[in-house]
Amino acid sequence: MLQNALQSTAFVQDMHRYIREYGLEHPERIPPERLILFDEAQRAWDQAKIGDFYTRKLPHLDNSRHASEPHLLIDIADRLDGWAVVLALVGEGQEIHTGEEAGLAQWVEAIRSSGKSWTVHGPTALASLFTGAAPFLAEPQLNLDTTLRAHAASDLHHWVRLVLDEGNLDAARPLAERLRNQGFPIYVTHDLGAARDYVRERFGGEPDRRYGILASSKAKNLEEFGLDPGFQATKKIQVGKWFNDGLQSARSCCRLDTVITEFQCQGLELDLPIVCWGDDFWWEESAWQMRKTRAQALVRDPFRLRTNAYRVLLTRGREGLVIVVSRGPGREMEATFEAIVRAGGFEM
């Protein structure tokens, strides 16, 4: 998305391509950059994921080079004479893919095993994590707790945490009401057409506004809406154009005829997203449930990843959120609709 907006790949590079070139294919090369910025650093791939991915991509390489992304990046930086900076931006509850569950411990181990003298600067809360790995300088300013998105964003994250993590729908309801009073409404409906009409009317005459449809990559029940969030369908979407193009473009999110998933929208924002709730995650009695898949055998905590997927989907908005829940099949989706209403979702 940034490459498309800047019309340049000079400052925003593909991390996998960078690691492939300097970490795996040509480990003797010294990169021109002294500053490496890794967004969502807690989601860095572990050694097993690197091994699986690059064994398929680069089967001719010696697999002894496989290591976690933090190890590979620290090793790349170690080749630079004088100095290097690795800026790791860390979020919470954003792990949504296999190989992303090891967290910050990988960065600690990468620094501990480095042959160079590293110093870590970070928020006070992370100081104990790096004990014995490197000198740690606590910098309270590096605790990035001031949102630039919207004044209501912190309340939204709290609402999502109450709903998804704690399942405390009654405690979430007052927060939803406060968000609504602050100009951040949370709507819920069975009617995707009504959701489309609402966002088009709300932002009519404002060509710079961005709104679009999001859904879980595991949802299997969105055919009634004419949507397919599966891999084969969504891989054809040009994400940069989807986010950046205006309404006149057939590729724009504002056309409201295509859907992207948690993998494509993570870290990005819309003025108002329409989230189509899938049958992969539903409310039953007093807790969330998820559909089991064969791929779960490869994941340490599949429920955590599915919860985080919905956390990503529900927190992409700057000025509101519309949740669309299908009417079936089965009782599960109606129970999910009722749960969102109980948590303060305003029926459209």
Side-chain angles (χ1 to χ4, degrees):
M1 194 277 285
L2 286 173
Q3 289 176 346
N4 177 266
L6 297 171
Q7 293 297 299
S8 171
T9 60
F11 297 105
V12 183
Q13 300 181 42
D14 181 280
M15 179 60 73
H16 296 309
R17 188 173 300 172
Y18 186 82
I19 286 178
R20 172 176 172 168
E21 179 178 357
Y22 293 106
L24 297 172
E25 289 189 307
H26 304 286
E28 76 289 349
R29 286 185 180 175
I30 299 177
E33 300 87 3
R34 288 187 177 273
L35 168 63
I36 301 172
L37 190 155
F38 195 122
D39 195 13
E40 300 288 354
Q42 81 287 350
R43 296 180 55 218
W45 283 3
D46 60 23
Q47 182 175 356
K49 180 66 176 181
I50 288 286
D52 176 66
F53 184 79
Y54 286 106
T55 296
R56 289 183 282 109
K57 290 284 186 178
L58 307 171
H60 60 284
L61 288 185
D62 180 359
N63 61 17
S64 65
R65 298 180 188 175
H66 294 162
S68 69
E69 283 184 329
H71 275 85
L72 291 168
L73 288 173
I74 293 297
D75 180 68
I76 291 169
D78 280 347
R79 296 175 214 157
L80 294 162
D81 290 331
W83 63 275
V85 174
V86 176
L87 178 57
L89 302 178
V90 177
E92 296 180 351
Q94 299 291 306
E95 302 84 6
I96 59 175
H97 207 295
T98 57
E100 296 179 352
E101 298 170 274
L104 292 179
Q106 295 185 110
W107 291 96
V108 177
E109 183 55 36
I111 291 171
R112 181 182 286 116
S113 61
S114 168
K116 297 293 182 72
S117 178
W118 284 85
T119 301
V120 179
H121 300 257
T124 305
L126 297 183
S128 61
L129 188 64
F130 289 88
T131 300
F136 187 96
L137 299 182
E139 306 281 358
Q141 299 92 332
L142 294 180
N143 184 30
L144 307 179
D145 56 356
T146 301
T147 178
L148 298 179
R149 177 187 301 169
H151 64 280
S154 58
D155 279 345
L156 175 63
H157 281 272
H158 188 194
W159 182 82
V160 171
R161 185 162 57 249
L162 286 171
V163 172
L164 295 183
D165 298 325
E166 301 181 24
N168 195 337
L169 307 181
D170 294 328
R173 187 177 185 87
L175 266 180
E177 293 173 353
R178 186 163 77 186
L179 282 163
R180 183 175 177 82
N181 292 333
Q182 293 174 338
F184 192 104
I186 300 174
Y187 288 106
V188 59
T189 180
H190 287 304
D191 189 344
L192 178 58
R196 285 174 168 140
D197 291 343
Y198 166 71
V199 296
R200 285 169 175 155
E201 180 179 349
R202 178 170 174 179
F203 296 124
E206 299 183 68
D208 292 333
R209 297 293 194 159
R210 291 295 176 269
Y211 42 88
I213 301 175
L214 313 177
S216 165
S217 61
K218 304 298 184 183
K220 304 293 185 183
N221 64 329
L222 303 184
E223 295 89 349
E224 68 176 274
F225 299 136
L227 301 174
D228 182 359
F231 174 74
Q232 294 302 325
T234 56
K235 74 176 183 179
K236 302 173 185 177
I237 294 174
Q238 297 182 36
V239 176
K241 293 182 179 294
W242 195 88
F243 275 97
N244 293 324
D245 281 8
L247 183 58
Q248 72 284 353
S249 170
R251 300 183 184 277
S252 172
C253 59
C254 299
R255 301 295 288 266
L256 298 178
D257 55 7
T258 54
V259 60
I260 65 171
T261 73
E262 67 272 20
F263 297 115
Q264 295 156 309
C265 73
Q266 187 170 44
L268 303 173
E269 298 175 354
L270 293 166
D271 290 299
L272 202 154
I274 298 174
V275 176
C276 290
W277 203 284
D279 59 351
D280 57 324
F281 196 71
W282 67 90
W283 184 261
E284 185 175 302
E285 295 185 355
S286 60
W288 294 103
Q289 307 293 332
M290 66 169 288
R291 186 177 65 243
K292 295 181 179 180
T293 65
R294 287 176 295 178
Q296 289 180 15
L298 305 174
V299 182
R300 300 180 190 181
D301 188 347
F303 187 80
R304 174 189 172 197
L305 295 193
R306 193 82 332 246
T307 303
N308 286 345
Y310 276 84
R311 188 191 321 280
V312 168
L313 296 172
L314 294 173
T315 56
R316 297 306 92 201
R318 288 188 286 258
E319 297 190 20
L321 169 66
V322 180
I323 300 171
V324 180
V325 183
S326 74
R327 294 187 182 275
R331 167 65 186 160
E332 292 87 356
M333 300 315 296
E334 189 59 36
T336 300
F337 183 91
E338 294 169 358
I340 296 169
V341 171
R342 182 177 160 191
F346 192 80
E347 290 189 66
M348 181 175 286

